[in-house]
């Protein structure tokens, strides 16, 4: 490795016909910059997320990237690089490219404009057999100069790095004394083609084309096209001024022929137009309005900042992510890419057990994992599962190693094209067959971290006595702090959330979120299964009120936080 001020001459050989032309790329200095560790660079469930202002501190991003390159042995590798277009995306990519050149990376595949949805990045890694990828996003978190930014590493399978890799990066970040970066002009990101940056070849690619081609292989575009072009069906897709806009315009409006205007908020903006790119009933209020009341659209969907989450809505009918996963599994043989059947399914622990009942009928196994898509990767790679999902609006399959928002929307469109039913009738029919799992999530955002930890610690301390309590009805029959033994690599993940199960099958889950950037978010999950069709259309919060009261009795959540109500209810 060159030291600060050393000049490196790189030679490039090109071939034209039978002639070989040897060219010298202009000399480029590799600088070695002295630095000191930042103590807060341990990645969470989806990489390292902080405020933009934190990432803009001198050496902050550079330290983490150098720790990553040191941990993965970057010399000679090919990496996919891109992000969701939020504030600081382009600047960060330039820093990463210059550091990649200084650390011996051979090739960087970058989405035009620095843009790549997380699902598209996963697909590029897999399709072109890259060694990994660096994805810049804080997912569904707000953007802009005062918003959030994030960086994560995906491995050669296209999925988020497992804990052993992220922990190695963190350990290295705490030992770091220097980082390496070339002194060079910025790379042009907006023109397709290849350009050298020292010994690094930077390839700018269309961020949409390969992903859109994959979708066309998985789904019945002929049937979906007929549905979208009919005079009896209307839909709206809300891209929330985030990364899926260009993908949705190409796939829904250009390839499938949906009318112009089907995609709303389709231009990615660094601050998401001041919005919060989280596809739920609160933040996607414009879409909810378009799907409500007389004259509403028949089908609506939204995706988040980096394109890996989805929300599904019918006319006056919100489909919970847990129900969506279960319905997709139940109808999977209607989809060309899944016609042969499912090897198995998986859900994150806080996700409702609706998918478990479908798996039982299909005669396949359902795995329960911690929150974090990386836990599905081993199961997918080993062929144990085909579909998987999380209650946090994430669904995916073995086509990539990330959850995939637009893929889920196309899956639902394919079901609707085959069934010729409304979303509401498909949901009701599913409940009649499998029962309804009433489910809700209460988010208490930006609460004092010490208070949040005190609540969780208090629950942990009472786990051993909860099953003997006589003052709680229905009685508690199981209470634990969820641990996961990976059936593929044998790894153990502990302290993944407090589970409390009742004799009638109802359940409470308490969990601290790992995706926020300030203070703490404590999430309470409540579910109750109802087999009686006569009770399938009651209000969710009313139905679950007795369990919500028990949750408060056990945890003192509202009392200790001083909150009269959750920040968000989904």
């Amino acid at each position: 490795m060159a030291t600060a001020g050393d000049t490196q001459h790189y030679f490039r050989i090109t071939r034209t016909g039978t002639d070989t032309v040897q060219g010298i790329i202009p000399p480029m200095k590799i600088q070695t910059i002295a630095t000191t560790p930042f103590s807060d660079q341990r990645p969470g469930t989806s990489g390292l997320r902080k405020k933009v202002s934190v990432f803009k501190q001198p050496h902050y991003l550079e330290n983490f990237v150098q720790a990553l390159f040191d941990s993965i042995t970057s010399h000679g590798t090919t990496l996919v690089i891109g992000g969701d277009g939020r504030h600081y995306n382009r600047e960060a990519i330039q820093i990463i490219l210059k550091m990649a050149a200084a650390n011996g990376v051979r090739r960087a595949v970058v989405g035009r404009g620095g843009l790549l949805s997380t699902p598209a990045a996963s697909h590029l890694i897999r399709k072109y057999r890259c060694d990994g990828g660096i994805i810049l996003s804080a997912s569904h978190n707000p953007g802009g100069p005062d918003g959030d930014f994030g960086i994560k590493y995906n491995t050669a399978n296209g999925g988020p790095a497992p804990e052993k890799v992220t922990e190695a990066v963190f350990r290295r970040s705490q030992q770091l004394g220097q980082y390496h970066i070339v002194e060079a002009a910025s790379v042009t990101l907006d023109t397709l083609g290849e350009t050298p940056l020292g010994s690094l070849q930077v390839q700018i690619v269309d961020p949409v084309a390969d992903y859109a081609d994959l979708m066309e292989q998985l789904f019945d575009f002929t049937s979906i096209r007929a549905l979208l072009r009919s005079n009896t069906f209307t839909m709206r897709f809300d891209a929330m001024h985030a990364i899926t806009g260009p993908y949705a315009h190409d796939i829904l409006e250009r390839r499938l022929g949906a009318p112009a205007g089907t995609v709303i908020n389709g231009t990615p903006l660094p601050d998401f137009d001041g919005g919060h790119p989280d596809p739920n009933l609160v933040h996607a209020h414009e879409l909810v309005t378009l799907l409500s009341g007389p004259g509403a659209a028949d089908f609506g969907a939204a995706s988040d900042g980096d394109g890996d989450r989805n929300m599904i809505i019918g006319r006056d009918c919100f489909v919970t992510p847990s129900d969506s996963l279960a319905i997709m599994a139940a109808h999977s043989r209607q989809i060309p890419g899944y016609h042969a059947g499912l090897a198995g399914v998986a859900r994150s622990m806080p996700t409702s057990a609706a998918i478990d009942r479908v798996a039982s009928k299909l005669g396949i196994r359902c795995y329960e994992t911690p929150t974090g898509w990386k836990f599905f990767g081993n199961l997918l790679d080993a062929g144990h599962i085909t579909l998987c999902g999380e209650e946090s609006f994430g669904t995916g399959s073995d086509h990539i190693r990330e959850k995939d928002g637009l893929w889920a929307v196309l899956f639902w469109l394919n079901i609707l094209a085959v069934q010729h039913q409304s979303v509401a009738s498909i949901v009701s029919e599913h409940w009649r067959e499998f029962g309804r799992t009433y489910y809700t999530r209460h988010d208490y955002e930006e609460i004092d971290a010490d208070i949040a930890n005190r609540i969780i610690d208090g629950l942990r301390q009472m786990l051993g006595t909860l099953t003997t309590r006589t003052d709680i009805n229905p009685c508690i029959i199981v209470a634990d702090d969820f641990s996961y033994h990976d059936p593929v690599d044998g790894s153990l993940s502990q302290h993944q959330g407090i589970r409390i199960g009742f004799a009638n099958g109802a359940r409470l889950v308490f969990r601290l979120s790992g995706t926020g950037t300030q203070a703490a978010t404590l999430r309470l999950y409540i579910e109750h299964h109802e087999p009686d069709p006569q009770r399938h259309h009651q209000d969710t919060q009313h139905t679950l009120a007795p369990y919500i009261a028990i949750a408060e009795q056990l945890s003192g959540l509202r009392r200790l936080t001083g909150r009269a109500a959750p920040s968000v209810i989904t």
Side-chain angles (χ1 to χ4, degrees):
M1 180 63 66
T3 57
D6 282 356
T7 301
Q8 299 273 303
H9 290 266
Y10 297 99
F11 293 85
R12 177 176 56 190
I13 302 212
T14 58
R15 298 183 184 275
T16 305
T18 58
D19 296 327
T20 299
V21 180
Q22 179 169 286
I24 301 178
I25 298 170
M28 195 167 289
K29 290 183 179 179
I30 296 179
Q31 298 178 307
T32 297
I33 309 296
T35 189
T36 56
F38 293 88
S39 62
D40 62 347
Q41 292 198 330
R42 172 175 270 122
T45 56
S46 296
L48 182 68
R49 293 183 187 172
K50 302 290 178 184
K51 288 293 182 184
V52 170
S53 58
V54 174
F55 271 100
K56 283 189 171 182
Q57 294 177 92
H59 312 309
Y60 192 89
L61 174 62
E62 290 89 340
N63 273 26
F64 187 80
V65 173
Q66 187 63 57
L68 171 62
F69 285 153
D70 289 350
S71 301
I72 66 172
T73 312
S74 59
H75 188 80
T77 56
T78 296
L79 300 177
V80 170
I81 301 173
D84 61 14
R86 67 179 58 231
H87 188 82
Y88 197 53
N89 186 72
R90 293 177 73 98
E91 298 95 321
I93 288 176
Q94 296 291 349
I95 291 170
I96 293 167
L97 289 174
K98 292 172 185 178
M99 292 188 68
N103 282 274
V105 175
R106 183 179 65 86
R107 177 178 292 272
V109 180
V110 184
R112 181 173 51 204
L115 299 178
L116 275 177
S117 75
T118 293
S122 179
H123 177 52
L124 288 177
I125 293 169
R126 293 171 62 79
K127 180 175 181 178
Y128 295 108
R129 299 183 180 180
C130 300
D131 297 289
I134 297 174
I135 299 173
L136 303 174
S137 174
S139 188
H140 56 294
N141 293 6
D146 299 320
D148 298 341
F149 191 75
I151 178 172
K152 73 171 183 175
Y153 179 67
N154 281 27
T155 56
N157 74 341
E163 286 183 324
K164 64 182 180 182
V165 174
T166 57
E167 279 301 302
V169 174
F170 175 67
R171 286 194 302 270
R172 179 58 186 148
S173 76
Q174 301 309 289
Q175 303 163 354
L176 206 65
Q178 60 186 24
Y179 63 83
H180 311 291
I181 187 168
V182 298
E183 184 179 308
S186 295
V187 175
T188 300
L189 299 177
D190 299 311
T191 304
L192 298 180
E194 294 198 15
T195 186
L197 183 63
S199 61
L200 173 70
Q201 281 298 118
V202 180
Q203 181 181 6
I204 307 299
V205 300
D206 184 325
V208 175
D210 286 303
Y211 174 85
D213 290 344
L214 176 63
M215 295 302 103
E216 200 156 358
Q217 295 168 21
L218 293 174
F219 299 106
D220 183 355
F221 269 37
T222 299
S223 295
I224 298 173
R225 188 178 295 112
L227 176 69
L228 291 174
R229 290 179 175 178
S230 71
N231 295 322
T232 59
F233 182 85
T234 56
M235 78 165 285
R236 292 292 183 272
F237 178 84
D238 189 353
M240 306 189 82
H241 286 296
I243 192 63
T244 48
Y247 296 83
H249 279 303
D250 182 80
I251 295 172
L252 296 176
E253 294 181 348
R254 189 179 71 81
R255 298 194 184 210
L256 289 170
T262 294
V263 178
I264 62 174
N265 302 319
T267 301
L269 298 173
D271 66 346
F272 308 116
D273 199 31
H276 191 154
D278 192 355
N280 59 44
L281 296 175
V282 174
H283 298 304
H285 53 85
E286 180 181 356
L287 179 68
V288 173
T289 300
L290 292 171
L291 270 292
S292 303
D298 299 290
F299 178 70
S303 191
D304 69 329
D306 66 329
D308 63 353
R309 300 185 182 214
N310 73 93
M311 178 174 71
I312 302 297
I313 311 181
R315 181 180 296 171
D316 295 316
C317 176
F318 167 64
V319 185
T320 70
S322 295
D323 274 347
S324 180
L325 174 63
I327 291 167
M328 291 165 72
H331 290 270
S332 57
R333 285 190 178 271
Q334 296 175 338
I335 312 300
Y338 307 94
H339 179 72
L342 307 177
V345 294
R347 62 170 174 84
S348 65
M349 182 273 287
T351 303
S352 92
I355 183 68
D356 302 48
R357 296 177 177 90
V358 175
S360 178
K361 180 169 183 178
L362 295 178
I364 58 178
R365 182 168 176 179
C366 180
Y367 295 83
E368 184 180 36
T369 74
T371 295
W373 209 260
K374 58 192 175 187
F375 293 103
F376 294 137
N378 279 351
L379 298 173
L380 289 164
D381 286 346
H384 292 341
I385 63 171
T386 308
L387 293 186
C388 45
E390 298 179 333
E391 51 71 35
S392 53
F393 296 87
T395 324
S397 83
D398 58 357
H399 69 292
I400 57 173
R401 294 299 182 267
E402 289 278 4
K403 48 186 176 280
D404 191 345
L406 197 50
W407 165 89
V409 175
L410 291 167
F411 204 118
W412 265 92
L413 283 171
N414 206 150
I415 293 172
L416 292 168
V418 173
Q419 290 293 111
H420 303 290
Q421 294 175 271
S422 69
V423 172
S425 63
I426 288 173
V427 171
S428 294
E429 190 174 90
H430 182 87
W431 289 345
R432 284 194 297 272
E433 181 173 0
F434 296 99
R436 178 178 181 182
T437 301
Y438 282 96
Y439 183 88
T440 190
R441 187 181 91 187
H442 290 192
D443 291 359
Y444 291 81
E445 298 177 339
E446 296 186 13
I447 61 178
D448 183 272
D450 290 338
I451 293 175
N453 284 312
R454 191 183 352 151
I455 292 169
I456 295 296
D457 290 341
L459 289 165
R460 284 197 180 107
Q461 291 171 12
M462 66 174 67
L463 288 176
T465 62
L466 285 178
T467 56
T468 63
R469 296 270 296 258
T470 58
D471 61 327
I472 296 175
N473 184 34
C475 65
I476 296 172
I477 60 171
V478 62
D480 66 7
D481 190 353
F482 180 57
S483 294
Y484 177 66
H485 288 86
D486 191 300
V488 179
D489 66 15
S491 61
L492 175 65
S493 299
Q494 297 178 302
H495 306 303
Q496 296 297 316
I498 305 297
R499 299 187 299 182
I500 298 172
F502 298 90
N504 64 353
R507 188 177 70 146
L508 300 174
V509 172
F510 296 83
R511 177 180 164 270
L512 289 174
S513 171
T515 59
T517 61
Q518 61 183 7
T521 296
L522 198 155
R523 291 185 169 137
L524 167 63
Y525 310 81
I526 309 105
E527 70 176 278
H528 168 67
H529 183 251
E530 178 54 70
D532 184 359
Q534 299 302 313
R535 299 177 179 270
H536 283 174
H537 297 280
Q538 299 178 348
D539 178 76
T540 297
Q541 300 304 314
H542 176 77
T543 300
L544 297 175
Y547 305 102
I548 296 170
I550 293 172
E552 176 62 23
Q553 176 186 350
L554 295 176
S555 68
L557 178 54
R558 297 188 184 187
R559 174 176 54 83
L560 292 173
T561 62
R563 302 287 182 88
S567 308
V568 178
I569 296 176
T570 50

